[in-house]
Amino acid sequence: MLTPEQYLGAMADRIQRAGGRLNSVQIGPATAVVGLFTEQVLLTTMNYCVIAAAVPEVSAAALYDFTGRATQHARANLTGTMGWTAGSVVIAGLVGGRVYPDAAQAASAKSGNQFGGETRMVAVDLSAGQLYAFVGGKLWGAAMQGSVNAKLTYCFPQPAEVYQQVQWQQAQRQPQHPMPAPAPQVPLPPYAGPAGPQPPVYPPPGHAPQQGPYGY
């Protein structure tokens, strides 16, 4: 099964490849992986805070508490004036070996509209290979919603996708077996050609030659 550390490692790699500022912070009892992005969407500076931590089990209460703490961290790192020239999008997720049904329902529910920002919750169930999050559209801010959805689906990959990537990386690290040495060359027996005229057999010295039936 995929481990939380492997999943968070894949997230960190994606955050860096997407140009995010990667760091780790203490959010409650857990050390979280944090990616900060600043992008221009129309005339607004969008601040994205992608944050995730590993826990043994994900409950709705734990998800709400983690998201609230993550939102405070994101507001403290905001670029611009909240709500006027800048927007803040917090995508907070918990990764665990089990996700309770109440957490899956909370993460999958449509997020509410907020002044100058939005918060999305993600719950990743590694044992079941499931990811729960709201990835949809709203009646307002179509450009912003498309950007938020793209950021969420890229930074929080499906567990099966991460598992395949980890398997491939482990296969690349395994030492290559050396090629077996070639078998020694055995000399071939001399070639026996077709039967032809045999060389004459001479009698040993000291013996008279035998005469044929006609005397010679």
Side-chain angles (χ1 to χ4, degrees):
M1 186 183 78
L2 193 66
T3 66
E5 291 75 20
Q6 290 171 332
Y7 187 89
L8 293 178
M11 282 192 63
D13 180 62
R14 289 188 169 219
I15 289 171
Q16 288 183 309
R17 282 191 288 168
R21 302 185 300 279
L22 177 67
N23 54 32
S24 60
V25 296
Q26 193 73 21
I27 302 291
T31 301
V33 173
V34 181
L36 298 176
F37 303 85
T38 303
E39 298 179 1
Q40 290 296 130
V41 179
L42 299 180
L43 299 177
T44 303
T45 300
M46 293 303 303
N47 294 268
Y48 292 92
C49 179
V50 178
I51 184 167
V55 293
E57 297 177 333
V58 183
S59 64
L63 190 59
Y64 280 118
D65 179 72
F66 178 77
T67 302
R69 296 173 185 267
T71 302
Q72 293 177 358
H73 176 78
R75 296 290 190 268
N77 291 273
L78 183 70
T79 300
T81 303
M82 180 68 180
W84 299 104
T85 62
S88 176
V89 176
V90 179
I91 305 175
L94 286 178
V95 182
R98 179 185 179 187
V99 173
Y100 288 104
D102 60 348
Q105 183 177 6
S108 303
K110 180 182 291 189
S111 57
N113 298 344
Q114 300 172 1
F115 175 71
E118 185 175 351
T119 301
R120 298 278 186 98
M121 295 191 298
V122 183
V124 182
D125 190 328
L126 296 180
S127 61
Q130 295 289 330
L131 184 146
Y132 303 95
F134 171 72
V135 182
K138 296 182 179 180
L139 297 179
W140 59 276
M144 180 185 296
Q145 290 302 306
S147 179
V148 173
N149 293 339
K151 195 72 67 183
L152 188 154
T153 54
Y154 181 78
C155 293
F156 281 91
Q158 292 292 332
E161 184 179 351
V162 178
Y163 181 76
Q164 292 177 352
Q165 178 182 345
V166 170
Q167 292 290 96
W168 181 84
Q169 290 174 343
Q170 290 177 348
Q172 296 300 310
R173 296 194 191 103
Q174 291 179 354
Q176 299 296 326
H177 297 289
M179 294 294 293
Q185 296 294 329
V186 179
L188 297 175
Y191 172 69
Q198 300 298 318
V201 179
Y202 297 98
H207 290 267
Q210 297 180 355
Q211 294 182 349
Y214 299 100
Y216 61 90

PDB file of all heavy atoms in Angstrom, residues 146-183:
ATOM      1  N   GLY A 146     -11.959  27.513 -12.757  1.00  0.00           N
ATOM      2  CA  GLY A 146     -11.132  26.636 -13.583  1.00  0.00           C
ATOM      3  C   GLY A 146      -9.704  26.578 -13.080  1.00  0.00           C
ATOM      4  O   GLY A 146      -9.073  25.516 -13.066  1.00  0.00           O
ATOM      5  N   SER A 147      -9.194  27.699 -12.624  1.00  0.00           N
ATOM      6  CA  SER A 147      -7.838  27.750 -12.091  1.00  0.00           C
ATOM      7  C   SER A 147      -7.735  26.969 -10.786  1.00  0.00           C
ATOM      8  O   SER A 147      -6.761  26.243 -10.557  1.00  0.00           O
ATOM      9  CB  SER A 147      -7.422  29.211 -11.877  1.00  0.00           C
ATOM     10  OG  SER A 147      -6.112  29.289 -11.341  1.00  0.00           O
ATOM     11  N   VAL A 148      -8.743  27.097  -9.923  1.00  0.00           N
ATOM     12  CA  VAL A 148      -8.732  26.387  -8.646  1.00  0.00           C
ATOM     13  C   VAL A 148      -8.799  24.879  -8.881  1.00  0.00           C
ATOM     14  O   VAL A 148      -8.060  24.101  -8.265  1.00  0.00           O
ATOM     15  CB  VAL A 148      -9.900  26.858  -7.759  1.00  0.00           C
ATOM     16  CG1 VAL A 148      -9.980  25.997  -6.491  1.00  0.00           C
ATOM     17  CG2 VAL A 148      -9.743  28.318  -7.400  1.00  0.00           C
ATOM     18  N   ASN A 149      -9.681  24.461  -9.773  1.00  0.00           N
ATOM     19  CA  ASN A 149      -9.819  23.032 -10.050  1.00  0.00           C
ATOM     20  C   ASN A 149      -8.523  22.454 -10.611  1.00  0.00           C
ATOM     21  O   ASN A 149      -8.110  21.341 -10.249  1.00  0.00           O
ATOM     22  CB  ASN A 149     -10.957  22.786 -11.044  1.00  0.00           C
ATOM     23  CG  ASN A 149     -12.314  23.116 -10.451  1.00  0.00           C
ATOM     24  OD1 ASN A 149     -12.484  23.159  -9.226  1.00  0.00           O
ATOM     25  ND2 ASN A 149     -13.293  23.351 -11.309  1.00  0.00           N
ATOM     26  N   ALA A 150      -7.876  23.197 -11.501  1.00  0.00           N
ATOM     27  CA  ALA A 150      -6.631  22.716 -12.092  1.00  0.00           C
ATOM     28  C   ALA A 150      -5.546  22.580 -11.029  1.00  0.00           C
ATOM     29  O   ALA A 150      -4.780  21.606 -11.020  1.00  0.00           O
ATOM     30  CB  ALA A 150      -6.172  23.661 -13.203  1.00  0.00           C
ATOM     31  N   LYS A 151      -5.484  23.550 -10.116  1.00  0.00           N
ATOM     32  CA  LYS A 151      -4.467  23.496  -9.064  1.00  0.00           C
ATOM     33  C   LYS A 151      -4.720  22.320  -8.130  1.00  0.00           C
ATOM     34  O   LYS A 151      -3.785  21.624  -7.711  1.00  0.00           O
ATOM     35  CB  LYS A 151      -4.474  24.805  -8.281  1.00  0.00           C
ATOM     36  CG  LYS A 151      -3.238  25.010  -7.409  1.00  0.00           C
ATOM     37  CD  LYS A 151      -2.019  25.312  -8.258  1.00  0.00           C
ATOM     38  CE  LYS A 151      -2.155  26.646  -8.948  1.00  0.00           C
ATOM     39  NZ  LYS A 151      -1.039  26.964  -9.834  1.00  0.00           N
ATOM     40  N   LEU A 152      -5.974  22.077  -7.801  1.00  0.00           N
ATOM     41  CA  LEU A 152      -6.304  20.989  -6.878  1.00  0.00           C
ATOM     42  C   LEU A 152      -5.979  19.631  -7.497  1.00  0.00           C
ATOM     43  O   LEU A 152      -5.324  18.790  -6.855  1.00  0.00           O
ATOM     44  CB  LEU A 152      -7.784  21.065  -6.492  1.00  0.00           C
ATOM     45  CG  LEU A 152      -8.282  20.125  -5.388  1.00  0.00           C
ATOM     46  CD1 LEU A 152      -9.505  20.738  -4.688  1.00  0.00           C
ATOM     47  CD2 LEU A 152      -8.650  18.743  -5.901  1.00  0.00           C
ATOM     48  N   THR A 153      -6.428  19.408  -8.716  1.00  0.00           N
ATOM     49  CA  THR A 153      -6.236  18.090  -9.327  1.00  0.00           C
ATOM     50  C   THR A 153      -4.776  17.817  -9.648  1.00  0.00           C
ATOM     51  O   THR A 153      -4.357  16.654  -9.699  1.00  0.00           O
ATOM     52  CB  THR A 153      -7.080  17.960 -10.605  1.00  0.00           C
ATOM     53  OG1 THR A 153      -6.769  19.058 -11.493  1.00  0.00           O
ATOM     54  CG2 THR A 153      -8.555  17.989 -10.292  1.00  0.00           C
ATOM     55  N   TYR A 154      -3.976  18.868  -9.848  1.00  0.00           N
ATOM     56  CA  TYR A 154      -2.562  18.647 -10.132  1.00  0.00           C
ATOM     57  C   TYR A 154      -1.777  18.404  -8.839  1.00  0.00           C
ATOM     58  O   TYR A 154      -0.957  17.479  -8.773  1.00  0.00           O
ATOM     59  CB  TYR A 154      -1.966  19.843 -10.870  1.00  0.00           C
ATOM     60  CG  TYR A 154      -0.501  19.648 -11.207  1.00  0.00           C
ATOM     61  CD1 TYR A 154      -0.112  18.844 -12.272  1.00  0.00           C
ATOM     62  CD2 TYR A 154       0.496  20.253 -10.441  1.00  0.00           C
ATOM     63  CE1 TYR A 154       1.238  18.645 -12.562  1.00  0.00           C
ATOM     64  CE2 TYR A 154       1.842  20.066 -10.730  1.00  0.00           C
ATOM     65  CZ  TYR A 154       2.205  19.259 -11.791  1.00  0.00           C
ATOM     66  OH  TYR A 154       3.524  19.052 -12.074  1.00  0.00           O
ATOM     67  N   CYS A 155      -2.004  19.221  -7.829  1.00  0.00           N
ATOM     68  CA  CYS A 155      -1.229  19.100  -6.598  1.00  0.00           C
ATOM     69  C   CYS A 155      -1.689  17.937  -5.725  1.00  0.00           C
ATOM     70  O   CYS A 155      -0.909  17.446  -4.897  1.00  0.00           O
ATOM     71  CB  CYS A 155      -1.299  20.404  -5.810  1.00  0.00           C
ATOM     72  SG  CYS A 155      -0.461  21.790  -6.615  1.00  0.00           S
ATOM     73  N   PHE A 156      -2.938  17.502  -5.886  1.00  0.00           N
ATOM     74  CA  PHE A 156      -3.435  16.329  -5.159  1.00  0.00           C
ATOM     75  C   PHE A 156      -3.735  15.235  -6.180  1.00  0.00           C
ATOM     76  O   PHE A 156      -4.869  15.070  -6.615  1.00  0.00           O
ATOM     77  CB  PHE A 156      -4.699  16.666  -4.359  1.00  0.00           C
ATOM     78  CG  PHE A 156      -4.437  17.383  -3.064  1.00  0.00           C
ATOM     79  CD1 PHE A 156      -4.411  18.764  -3.030  1.00  0.00           C
ATOM     80  CD2 PHE A 156      -4.224  16.681  -1.887  1.00  0.00           C
ATOM     81  CE1 PHE A 156      -4.170  19.440  -1.847  1.00  0.00           C
ATOM     82  CE2 PHE A 156      -3.981  17.359  -0.693  1.00  0.00           C
ATOM     83  CZ  PHE A 156      -3.952  18.740  -0.666  1.00  0.00           C
ATOM     84  N   PRO A 157      -2.720  14.462  -6.597  1.00  0.00           N
ATOM     85  CA  PRO A 157      -2.956  13.426  -7.610  1.00  0.00           C
ATOM     86  C   PRO A 157      -3.732  12.246  -7.024  1.00  0.00           C
ATOM     87  O   PRO A 157      -3.823  12.073  -5.801  1.00  0.00           O
ATOM     88  CB  PRO A 157      -1.540  13.004  -8.018  1.00  0.00           C
ATOM     89  CG  PRO A 157      -0.703  13.313  -6.815  1.00  0.00           C
ATOM     90  CD  PRO A 157      -1.314  14.526  -6.178  1.00  0.00           C
ATOM     91  N   GLN A 158      -4.273  11.438  -7.915  1.00  0.00           N
ATOM     92  CA  GLN A 158      -4.966  10.228  -7.487  1.00  0.00           C
ATOM     93  C   GLN A 158      -3.957   9.254  -6.877  1.00  0.00           C
ATOM     94  O   GLN A 158      -2.841   9.111  -7.359  1.00  0.00           O
ATOM     95  CB  GLN A 158      -5.676   9.574  -8.677  1.00  0.00           C
ATOM     96  CG  GLN A 158      -6.848  10.371  -9.224  1.00  0.00           C
ATOM     97  CD  GLN A 158      -8.012  10.424  -8.252  1.00  0.00           C
ATOM     98  OE1 GLN A 158      -8.212   9.519  -7.430  1.00  0.00           O
ATOM     99  NE2 GLN A 158      -8.805  11.489  -8.341  1.00  0.00           N
ATOM    100  N   PRO A 159      -4.335   8.550  -5.797  1.00  0.00           N
ATOM    101  CA  PRO A 159      -3.393   7.614  -5.174  1.00  0.00           C
ATOM    102  C   PRO A 159      -2.851   6.559  -6.133  1.00  0.00           C
ATOM    103  O   PRO A 159      -1.674   6.196  -6.056  1.00  0.00           O
ATOM    104  CB  PRO A 159      -4.232   6.979  -4.055  1.00  0.00           C
ATOM    105  CG  PRO A 159      -5.255   8.012  -3.716  1.00  0.00           C
ATOM    106  CD  PRO A 159      -5.581   8.681  -5.021  1.00  0.00           C
ATOM    107  N   ALA A 160      -3.691   6.071  -7.048  1.00  0.00           N
ATOM    108  CA  ALA A 160      -3.217   5.048  -7.992  1.00  0.00           C
ATOM    109  C   ALA A 160      -2.106   5.597  -8.883  1.00  0.00           C
ATOM    110  O   ALA A 160      -1.143   4.879  -9.209  1.00  0.00           O
ATOM    111  CB  ALA A 160      -4.384   4.547  -8.840  1.00  0.00           C
ATOM    112  N   GLU A 161      -2.220   6.849  -9.258  1.00  0.00           N
ATOM    113  CA  GLU A 161      -1.192   7.473 -10.096  1.00  0.00           C
ATOM    114  C   GLU A 161       0.135   7.586  -9.343  1.00  0.00           C
ATOM    115  O   GLU A 161       1.213   7.318  -9.896  1.00  0.00           O
ATOM    116  CB  GLU A 161      -1.667   8.849 -10.546  1.00  0.00           C
ATOM    117  CG  GLU A 161      -0.716   9.559 -11.500  1.00  0.00           C
ATOM    118  CD  GLU A 161      -1.239  10.910 -11.929  1.00  0.00           C
ATOM    119  OE1 GLU A 161      -2.410  11.224 -11.622  1.00  0.00           O
ATOM    120  OE2 GLU A 161      -0.489  11.662 -12.560  1.00  0.00           O
ATOM    121  N   VAL A 162       0.057   7.970  -8.062  1.00  0.00           N
ATOM    122  CA  VAL A 162       1.274   8.074  -7.261  1.00  0.00           C
ATOM    123  C   VAL A 162       1.889   6.696  -7.048  1.00  0.00           C
ATOM    124  O   VAL A 162       3.111   6.532  -7.084  1.00  0.00           O
ATOM    125  CB  VAL A 162       0.962   8.745  -5.911  1.00  0.00           C
ATOM    126  CG1 VAL A 162       2.208   8.818  -5.035  1.00  0.00           C
ATOM    127  CG2 VAL A 162       0.400  10.138  -6.128  1.00  0.00           C
ATOM    128  N   TYR A 163       1.044   5.693  -6.823  1.00  0.00           N
ATOM    129  CA  TYR A 163       1.551   4.335  -6.598  1.00  0.00           C
ATOM    130  C   TYR A 163       2.320   3.828  -7.813  1.00  0.00           C
ATOM    131  O   TYR A 163       3.402   3.242  -7.677  1.00  0.00           O
ATOM    132  CB  TYR A 163       0.389   3.399  -6.272  1.00  0.00           C
ATOM    133  CG  TYR A 163       0.815   1.975  -5.994  1.00  0.00           C
ATOM    134  CD1 TYR A 163       1.408   1.631  -4.778  1.00  0.00           C
ATOM    135  CD2 TYR A 163       0.639   0.982  -6.948  1.00  0.00           C
ATOM    136  CE1 TYR A 163       1.808   0.340  -4.517  1.00  0.00           C
ATOM    137  CE2 TYR A 163       1.045  -0.312  -6.693  1.00  0.00           C
ATOM    138  CZ  TYR A 163       1.625  -0.633  -5.478  1.00  0.00           C
ATOM    139  OH  TYR A 163       2.035  -1.923  -5.235  1.00  0.00           O
ATOM    140  N   GLN A 164       1.790   4.060  -8.998  1.00  0.00           N
ATOM    141  CA  GLN A 164       2.492   3.649 -10.214  1.00  0.00           C
ATOM    142  C   GLN A 164       3.820   4.384 -10.349  1.00  0.00           C
ATOM    143  O   GLN A 164       4.831   3.799 -10.747  1.00  0.00           O
ATOM    144  CB  GLN A 164       1.612   3.909 -11.436  1.00  0.00           C
ATOM    145  CG  GLN A 164       0.382   3.027 -11.512  1.00  0.00           C
ATOM    146  CD  GLN A 164      -0.499   3.366 -12.699  1.00  0.00           C
ATOM    147  OE1 GLN A 164      -0.268   4.357 -13.393  1.00  0.00           O
ATOM    148  NE2 GLN A 164      -1.518   2.557 -12.928  1.00  0.00           N
ATOM    149  N   GLN A 165       3.839   5.664 -10.007  1.00  0.00           N
ATOM    150  CA  GLN A 165       5.081   6.444 -10.085  1.00  0.00           C
ATOM    151  C   GLN A 165       6.116   5.903  -9.106  1.00  0.00           C
ATOM    152  O   GLN A 165       7.303   5.784  -9.447  1.00  0.00           O
ATOM    153  CB  GLN A 165       4.776   7.907  -9.787  1.00  0.00           C
ATOM    154  CG  GLN A 165       6.012   8.807  -9.790  1.00  0.00           C
ATOM    155  CD  GLN A 165       5.668  10.244  -9.429  1.00  0.00           C
ATOM    156  OE1 GLN A 165       4.507  10.632  -9.438  1.00  0.00           O
ATOM    157  NE2 GLN A 165       6.667  11.019  -9.093  1.00  0.00           N
ATOM    158  N   VAL A 166       5.691   5.575  -7.882  1.00  0.00           N
ATOM    159  CA  VAL A 166       6.621   5.043  -6.882  1.00  0.00           C
ATOM    160  C   VAL A 166       7.175   3.696  -7.334  1.00  0.00           C
ATOM    161  O   VAL A 166       8.372   3.419  -7.195  1.00  0.00           O
ATOM    162  CB  VAL A 166       5.917   4.919  -5.519  1.00  0.00           C
ATOM    163  CG1 VAL A 166       6.770   4.142  -4.526  1.00  0.00           C
ATOM    164  CG2 VAL A 166       5.608   6.300  -4.956  1.00  0.00           C
ATOM    165  N   GLN A 167       6.307   2.838  -7.887  1.00  0.00           N
ATOM    166  CA  GLN A 167       6.767   1.540  -8.374  1.00  0.00           C
ATOM    167  C   GLN A 167       7.805   1.702  -9.481  1.00  0.00           C
ATOM    168  O   GLN A 167       8.807   0.985  -9.523  1.00  0.00           O
ATOM    169  CB  GLN A 167       5.574   0.727  -8.897  1.00  0.00           C
ATOM    170  CG  GLN A 167       4.602   0.282  -7.818  1.00  0.00           C
ATOM    171  CD  GLN A 167       5.193  -0.779  -6.908  1.00  0.00           C
ATOM    172  OE1 GLN A 167       5.718  -0.478  -5.835  1.00  0.00           O
ATOM    173  NE2 GLN A 167       5.130  -2.015  -7.327  1.00  0.00           N
ATOM    174  N   TRP A 168       7.579   2.648 -10.361  1.00  0.00           N
ATOM    175  CA  TRP A 168       8.524   2.883 -11.464  1.00  0.00           C
ATOM    176  C   TRP A 168       9.858   3.389 -10.921  1.00  0.00           C
ATOM    177  O   TRP A 168      10.922   2.958 -11.365  1.00  0.00           O
ATOM    178  CB  TRP A 168       7.923   3.889 -12.438  1.00  0.00           C
ATOM    179  CG  TRP A 168       8.810   4.162 -13.610  1.00  0.00           C
ATOM    180  CD1 TRP A 168       8.926   3.451 -14.770  1.00  0.00           C
ATOM    181  CD2 TRP A 168       9.741   5.263 -13.735  1.00  0.00           C
ATOM    182  NE1 TRP A 168       9.857   4.018 -15.600  1.00  0.00           N
ATOM    183  CE2 TRP A 168      10.375   5.124 -14.999  1.00  0.00           C
ATOM    184  CE3 TRP A 168      10.088   6.328 -12.919  1.00  0.00           C
ATOM    185  CZ2 TRP A 168      11.336   6.036 -15.447  1.00  0.00           C
ATOM    186  CZ3 TRP A 168      11.048   7.223 -13.366  1.00  0.00           C
ATOM    187  CH2 TRP A 168      11.655   7.070 -14.611  1.00  0.00           C
ATOM    188  N   GLN A 169       9.806   4.307  -9.952  1.00  0.00           N
ATOM    189  CA  GLN A 169      11.045   4.841  -9.388  1.00  0.00           C
ATOM    190  C   GLN A 169      11.834   3.761  -8.660  1.00  0.00           C
ATOM    191  O   GLN A 169      13.065   3.702  -8.753  1.00  0.00           O
ATOM    192  CB  GLN A 169      10.721   5.994  -8.431  1.00  0.00           C
ATOM    193  CG  GLN A 169      10.201   7.243  -9.132  1.00  0.00           C
ATOM    194  CD  GLN A 169       9.755   8.307  -8.152  1.00  0.00           C
ATOM    195  OE1 GLN A 169       9.535   8.040  -6.960  1.00  0.00           O
ATOM    196  NE2 GLN A 169       9.593   9.530  -8.629  1.00  0.00           N
ATOM    197  N   GLN A 170      11.134   2.872  -7.945  1.00  0.00           N
ATOM    198  CA  GLN A 170      11.829   1.791  -7.249  1.00  0.00           C
ATOM    199  C   GLN A 170      12.475   0.824  -8.242  1.00  0.00           C
ATOM    200  O   GLN A 170      13.572   0.317  -7.996  1.00  0.00           O
ATOM    201  CB  GLN A 170      10.854   1.045  -6.337  1.00  0.00           C
ATOM    202  CG  GLN A 170      10.400   1.873  -5.135  1.00  0.00           C
ATOM    203  CD  GLN A 170       9.390   1.152  -4.289  1.00  0.00           C
ATOM    204  OE1 GLN A 170       8.839   0.115  -4.689  1.00  0.00           O
ATOM    205  NE2 GLN A 170       9.117   1.672  -3.104  1.00  0.00           N
ATOM    206  N   ALA A 171      11.809   0.583  -9.349  1.00  0.00           N
ATOM    207  CA  ALA A 171      12.389  -0.300 -10.359  1.00  0.00           C
ATOM    208  C   ALA A 171      13.636   0.315 -10.973  1.00  0.00           C
ATOM    209  O   ALA A 171      14.593  -0.401 -11.306  1.00  0.00           O
ATOM    210  CB  ALA A 171      11.349  -0.598 -11.440  1.00  0.00           C
ATOM    211  N   GLN A 172      13.651   1.643 -11.121  1.00  0.00           N
ATOM    212  CA  GLN A 172      14.824   2.292 -11.692  1.00  0.00           C
ATOM    213  C   GLN A 172      16.016   2.243 -10.738  1.00  0.00           C
ATOM    214  O   GLN A 172      17.164   2.246 -11.176  1.00  0.00           O
ATOM    215  CB  GLN A 172      14.499   3.757 -12.023  1.00  0.00           C
ATOM    216  CG  GLN A 172      13.431   3.914 -13.088  1.00  0.00           C
ATOM    217  CD  GLN A 172      13.823   3.284 -14.408  1.00  0.00           C
ATOM    218  OE1 GLN A 172      14.906   3.519 -14.917  1.00  0.00           O
ATOM    219  NE2 GLN A 172      12.935   2.462 -14.953  1.00  0.00           N
ATOM    220  N   ARG A 173      15.749   2.208  -9.427  1.00  0.00           N
ATOM    221  CA  ARG A 173      16.847   2.208  -8.455  1.00  0.00           C
ATOM    222  C   ARG A 173      17.467   0.827  -8.264  1.00  0.00           C
ATOM    223  O   ARG A 173      18.553   0.716  -7.724  1.00  0.00           O
ATOM    224  CB  ARG A 173      16.337   2.712  -7.106  1.00  0.00           C
ATOM    225  CG  ARG A 173      15.872   4.158  -7.124  1.00  0.00           C
ATOM    226  CD  ARG A 173      15.701   4.674  -5.712  1.00  0.00           C
ATOM    227  NE  ARG A 173      15.019   5.951  -5.691  1.00  0.00           N
ATOM    228  CZ  ARG A 173      13.741   6.104  -5.362  1.00  0.00           C
ATOM    229  NH1 ARG A 173      13.030   5.058  -5.041  1.00  0.00           N
ATOM    230  NH2 ARG A 173      13.177   7.287  -5.349  1.00  0.00           N
ATOM    231  N   GLN A 174      16.771  -0.245  -8.653  1.00  0.00           N
ATOM    232  CA  GLN A 174      17.296  -1.581  -8.443  1.00  0.00           C
ATOM    233  C   GLN A 174      18.539  -1.797  -9.300  1.00  0.00           C
ATOM    234  O   GLN A 174      18.576  -1.388 -10.461  1.00  0.00           O
ATOM    235  CB  GLN A 174      16.238  -2.629  -8.796  1.00  0.00           C
ATOM    236  CG  GLN A 174      15.067  -2.659  -7.822  1.00  0.00           C
ATOM    237  CD  GLN A 174      14.017  -3.679  -8.209  1.00  0.00           C
ATOM    238  OE1 GLN A 174      14.116  -4.294  -9.262  1.00  0.00           O
ATOM    239  NE2 GLN A 174      13.025  -3.857  -7.367  1.00  0.00           N
ATOM    240  N   PRO A 175      19.579  -2.456  -8.723  1.00  0.00           N
ATOM    241  CA  PRO A 175      20.796  -2.693  -9.524  1.00  0.00           C
ATOM    242  C   PRO A 175      20.509  -3.604 -10.700  1.00  0.00           C
ATOM    243  O   PRO A 175      19.752  -4.570 -10.595  1.00  0.00           O
ATOM    244  CB  PRO A 175      21.746  -3.341  -8.514  1.00  0.00           C
ATOM    245  CG  PRO A 175      20.854  -3.933  -7.461  1.00  0.00           C
ATOM    246  CD  PRO A 175      19.660  -3.015  -7.375  1.00  0.00           C
ATOM    247  N   GLN A 176      21.112  -3.254 -11.800  1.00  0.00           N
ATOM    248  CA  GLN A 176      20.933  -4.055 -13.007  1.00  0.00           C
ATOM    249  C   GLN A 176      21.784  -5.317 -12.894  1.00  0.00           C
ATOM    250  O   GLN A 176      22.949  -5.279 -12.526  1.00  0.00           O
ATOM    251  CB  GLN A 176      21.349  -3.247 -14.248  1.00  0.00           C
ATOM    252  CG  GLN A 176      20.541  -1.989 -14.448  1.00  0.00           C
ATOM    253  CD  GLN A 176      19.074  -2.279 -14.722  1.00  0.00           C
ATOM    254  OE1 GLN A 176      18.746  -3.278 -15.352  1.00  0.00           O
ATOM    255  NE2 GLN A 176      18.193  -1.408 -14.247  1.00  0.00           N
ATOM    256  N   HIS A 177      21.203  -6.469 -13.226  1.00  0.00           N
ATOM    257  CA  HIS A 177      21.939  -7.724 -13.189  1.00  0.00           C
ATOM    258  C   HIS A 177      22.914  -7.767 -14.364  1.00  0.00           C
ATOM    259  O   HIS A 177      22.539  -7.493 -15.502  1.00  0.00           O
ATOM    260  CB  HIS A 177      20.974  -8.909 -13.274  1.00  0.00           C
ATOM    261  CG  HIS A 177      20.036  -8.979 -12.106  1.00  0.00           C
ATOM    262  ND1 HIS A 177      20.448  -9.335 -10.836  1.00  0.00           N
ATOM    263  CD2 HIS A 177      18.700  -8.727 -12.008  1.00  0.00           C
ATOM    264  CE1 HIS A 177      19.414  -9.304 -10.016  1.00  0.00           C
ATOM    265  NE2 HIS A 177      18.353  -8.929 -10.702  1.00  0.00           N
ATOM    266  N   PRO A 178      24.194  -8.153 -14.086  1.00  0.00           N
ATOM    267  CA  PRO A 178      25.145  -8.214 -15.203  1.00  0.00           C
ATOM    268  C   PRO A 178      24.782  -9.317 -16.190  1.00  0.00           C
ATOM    269  O   PRO A 178      24.191 -10.327 -15.825  1.00  0.00           O
ATOM    270  CB  PRO A 178      26.485  -8.508 -14.510  1.00  0.00           C
ATOM    271  CG  PRO A 178      26.097  -9.152 -13.200  1.00  0.00           C
ATOM    272  CD  PRO A 178      24.784  -8.525 -12.813  1.00  0.00           C
ATOM    273  N   MET A 179      25.144  -9.105 -17.417  1.00  0.00           N
ATOM    274  CA  MET A 179      24.871 -10.101 -18.444  1.00  0.00           C
ATOM    275  C   MET A 179      25.721 -11.339 -18.179  1.00  0.00           C
ATOM    276  O   MET A 179      26.894 -11.238 -17.812  1.00  0.00           O
ATOM    277  CB  MET A 179      25.193  -9.533 -19.832  1.00  0.00           C
ATOM    278  CG  MET A 179      24.287  -8.397 -20.242  1.00  0.00           C
ATOM    279  SD  MET A 179      22.584  -8.934 -20.483  1.00  0.00           S
ATOM    280  CE  MET A 179      22.795  -9.968 -21.931  1.00  0.00           C
ATOM    281  N   PRO A 180      25.166 -12.534 -18.332  1.00  0.00           N
ATOM    282  CA  PRO A 180      25.962 -13.743 -18.115  1.00  0.00           C
ATOM    283  C   PRO A 180      27.088 -13.836 -19.133  1.00  0.00           C
ATOM    284  O   PRO A 180      26.961 -13.410 -20.277  1.00  0.00           O
ATOM    285  CB  PRO A 180      24.944 -14.879 -18.290  1.00  0.00           C
ATOM    286  CG  PRO A 180      23.837 -14.281 -19.098  1.00  0.00           C
ATOM    287  CD  PRO A 180      23.788 -12.835 -18.715  1.00  0.00           C
ATOM    288  N   ALA A 181      28.211 -14.414 -18.672  1.00  0.00           N
ATOM    289  CA  ALA A 181      29.361 -14.558 -19.562  1.00  0.00           C
ATOM    290  C   ALA A 181      29.029 -15.528 -20.685  1.00  0.00           C
ATOM    291  O   ALA A 181      28.311 -16.508 -20.479  1.00  0.00           O
ATOM    292  CB  ALA A 181      30.565 -15.061 -18.768  1.00  0.00           C
ATOM    293  N   PRO A 182      29.519 -15.263 -21.868  1.00  0.00           N
ATOM    294  CA  PRO A 182      29.211 -16.180 -22.977  1.00  0.00           C
ATOM    295  C   PRO A 182      29.835 -17.548 -22.736  1.00  0.00           C
ATOM    296  O   PRO A 182      30.884 -17.685 -22.096  1.00  0.00           O
ATOM    297  CB  PRO A 182      29.833 -15.478 -24.193  1.00  0.00           C
ATOM    298  CG  PRO A 182      30.887 -14.588 -23.612  1.00  0.00           C
ATOM    299  CD  PRO A 182      30.372 -14.150 -22.280  1.00  0.00           C
ATOM    300  N   ALA A 183      29.175 -18.578 -23.225  1.00  0.00           N
ATOM    301  CA  ALA A 183      29.676 -19.947 -23.069  1.00  0.00           C
ATOM    302  C   ALA A 183      30.977 -20.104 -23.844  1.00  0.00           C
ATOM    303  O   ALA A 183      31.158 -19.507 -24.910  1.00  0.00           O
ATOM    304  CB  ALA A 183      28.634 -20.933 -23.583  1.00  0.00           C
TER     305      ALA A 183
END
